[in-house]
Amino acid sequence: DGRISSFLQLETEHKIDSPHELIENDGLAFSGHYLMGQGFVVSEGEALRLCRLRGNADVIFPLIRGDDINNTVAQTSGNYAINFSMRSLEECQRNYPECLEIVRATVKPERDLVKRKANKERWWRYAEARPGLESAARHLDQVIVLPFTAKYIFPTFVSARSVFAHPIVVVVRPSPEVYACLQSSVHELWVWQFCSTSLDLLRYTATTVLSTFPFPSATNDLKRVGAEYYSYRQQLIRDRRVGLTEIYNLFHAESEVSQDILQLRSLHQQLNAAVIAAYGWPDVSASMGFFAAERLPKGKNVRFTLSGAIRRELLQRLLVLNLQ
């Protein structure tokens, strides 16, 4: 029999110190753009004005931030960002002079003071322009984003034609099956096991918790349940006119018995069942209830989730899959 270590890991003849990054997850996700300059950000009105001028629509995008995903009904900042990507200064001057002048006036003075030579000399570009992300998202209509800091896990579909504010995580396989796995309690227990935390907030990264996660095989049931769950969750935001953090505060409150929240809990249990079935583990129960969760402060640690015994069993199996 395997022993459970202090890190809740299965100790077999192959001791697992920490999960490995998986080849199958290469290119799955990227960290968002690091702008280094608030001057790249423009209001919706300014963006509309600039887009009426020739060519500027090519370099102006909605700005997506983690806090907006967590806490607003629209899940958008309402602002836009100028993004010249990897274009040369000469090309920007020739094709987008109005946008370049805004950046020259508002970003360049800040960049003139920074120590890193590349950021100082290439002041019209983001400090981290993320060409890999932009290349992967170029032919997509949507991507899935996950905020870096959150109370809960909130995978959300947004337009691929956006600027994603660092350190938000951007998943470029935007299918209902991938969404179902990311939203499930199975992925949640993996994240809480291996992420860093701040009080009752998790820190979600493309490397530590996502590149290491062993996804199950895609199934039609996973696709169906993922699409149904997401559609209901988004409608719930609109109906209640509150952000996702508030929705999941209610989801995890044992005293909350509103029909719409009970329905979300029921769908979550169905989603967990579909994910567990996709792994081929019919002997593992998807039953959920109110249980104390690991790594959360006392008084804030009761969540509507899988039982501790089921979580430990699933974690063992996931770690073995990771090693394999």
Side-chain angles (χ1 to χ4, degrees), residues 285 287-289 291-292 294 305-314:
S285 171
S287 179
M288 300 175 71
F291 301 102
E294 296 85 4
T305 186
L306 304 165
S307 72
I310 294 172
R311 294 200 304 272
R312 286 190 292 273
E313 177 64 28
L314 284 169

Side-chain angles (χ1 to χ4, degrees), residues 189-291:
L189 71 89
W190 184 266
V191 174
W192 276 106
Q193 183 63 42
F194 299 113
C195 74
S196 61
T197 61
S198 174
L199 299 176
D200 60 339
L201 301 178
L202 60 87
R203 290 172 175 158
Y204 194 100
T205 64
T207 51
T208 310
V209 298
L210 187 51
S211 69
T212 61
F213 182 69
F215 283 84
S217 300
T219 66
N220 288 333
D221 196 39
L222 206 55
K223 180 178 182 179
R224 177 187 62 79
V225 174
E228 183 180 358
Y229 184 103
Y230 186 76
S231 176
Y232 185 82
R233 192 196 79 174
Q234 297 305 101
Q235 188 61 50
L236 196 52
I237 296 171
R238 294 188 289 271
D239 289 346
R240 282 190 171 255
R241 301 185 65 80
V242 296
L244 280 172
T245 298
E246 182 59 32
I247 291 292
Y248 282 88
N249 282 340
L250 297 172
F251 178 90
H252 290 289
E254 193 166 5
S255 60
E256 179 60 47
V257 291
S258 301
Q259 282 302 310
D260 54 357
I261 299 300
L262 292 178
Q263 176 64 10
L264 184 63
R265 291 174 187 158
S266 175
L267 288 172
H268 205 101
Q269 188 158 291
Q270 293 173 42
L271 184 144
N272 285 342
V275 171
I276 291 170
Y279 281 107
W281 296 333
D283 57 319
V284 177
S285 171
S287 179
M288 300 175 71
F290 291 93
F291 301 102

